[in-house]
Amino acid sequence: MEQLDARPSSFSRVTITELMIPSYANFGGKIHGGILLSLMDKVAYATASKHSGAYCLTVSVDTVDFLQPVEVGELVSLMASVNYVGNSSMIIGIKVISENVKTGLVKHTNTSYFTMVAKGEDDKPTTVPPLKLETKTDIRRFVEAIYRKKFKQEHTAYQKEIKKNRDPEEIKRLLAGERCEVGVLRMI
């Protein structure tokens, strides 16, 4: 296997800025979350592809926190960096800010983590360069990504536990204090 030279996160850091136009608004007059997700996917792709030098696919999106609404007319900037690399995968951290150009008010509106996988010419996962950690921030982000991966694995196991078949008496106890009606008791 070919040894790849490590690349710092600064090598592939990407910022995309876009004006939020009326056609991006939802029924409430705020920018639709789907628009922001699409922009986040673009910046994650650009960052991952730049680091890996390969075509990349989005594998998962972990925690998209919508912290504040984005308004029509604001400039939205999405700042992305590679926070962690595995063999063929990369975790891309994304921070989204919006700026009201009239008032100068800048808001941190979103944070998200995208897991991207690099694909080779054979359409199979391909090895990506290691990440060169140059700053305390780089180290912190890499370590946080390790913990995030660990918690995600534990969460996946927990989700399997949630979905297993339950004892009818346990189901009745769980439903007793909830705001629901069970129309067909034979289901339990």
Side-chain angles (χ1 to χ4, degrees):
M1 183 168 74
E2 175 187 347
Q3 179 67 27
L4 300 170
D5 291 336
R7 293 180 174 165
S9 64
S10 59
F11 174 82
S12 55
R13 197 167 286 134
V14 173
T15 299
I16 293 176
T17 302
E18 188 164 334
L19 175 66
M20 296 295 103
I21 59 177
S23 63
Y24 292 175
N26 61 22
F27 294 114
K30 309 296 183 198
I31 299 305
H32 196 290
I35 296 293
L36 295 172
L37 283 169
S38 175
L39 291 170
M40 284 186 249
D41 193 48
K42 285 179 190 176
V43 76
Y45 172 82
T47 302
S49 294
K50 199 170 175 185
H51 179 82
S52 65
Y55 176 74
C56 295
L57 297 173
T58 304
V59 177
S60 71
V61 179
D62 300 333
T63 67
V64 178
D65 298 324
F66 291 92
L67 306 172
Q68 297 188 61
V70 177
E71 308 287 338
V72 170
E74 291 182 338
L75 287 177
V76 168
S77 295
L78 302 96
M79 296 159 284
S81 64
V82 178
N83 289 0
Y84 175 88
V85 297
N87 289 321
S88 61
S89 66
M90 296 155 281
I91 296 176
I92 311 300
I94 303 169
K95 179 178 181 180
V96 182
I97 61 166
S98 69
E99 179 183 359
N100 181 315
V101 292
K102 290 181 182 177
T103 67
L105 177 67
V106 175
K107 303 181 288 189
H108 176 194
T109 62
N110 299 77
T111 298
S112 189
Y113 302 94
F114 278 55
T115 300
M116 309 294 287
V117 169
K119 297 287 214 141
E121 295 298 323
D122 58 359
D123 205 34
K124 291 187 167 95
T126 190
T127 305
V128 300
L131 189 61
K132 184 175 186 179
L133 306 177
E134 296 183 312
T135 67
K136 287 181 181 180
T137 299
D138 292 342
I139 294 167
R140 177 184 55 81
R141 288 175 176 167
F142 198 93
V143 169
E144 287 173 358
I146 292 169
Y147 278 107
R148 209 174 278 109
K149 276 182 57 173
K150 178 181 175 248
F151 294 143
K152 185 177 179 180
Q153 290 166 345
E154 291 171 359
H155 179 73
T156 299
Y158 186 66
Q159 287 293 88
K160 288 180 182 176
E161 175 68 20
I162 288 171
K163 291 182 179 185
K164 77 177 190 182
N165 289 330
R166 302 274 177 219
D167 166 10
E169 290 306 311
E170 181 184 3
I171 292 171
K172 286 178 186 175
R173 277 193 308 277
L174 285 170
L175 295 179
E178 299 297 325
R179 293 183 44 86
C180 65
E181 280 185 29
V182 179
V184 182
L185 290 177
R186 289 175 296 198
M187 289 175 51
I188 300 177

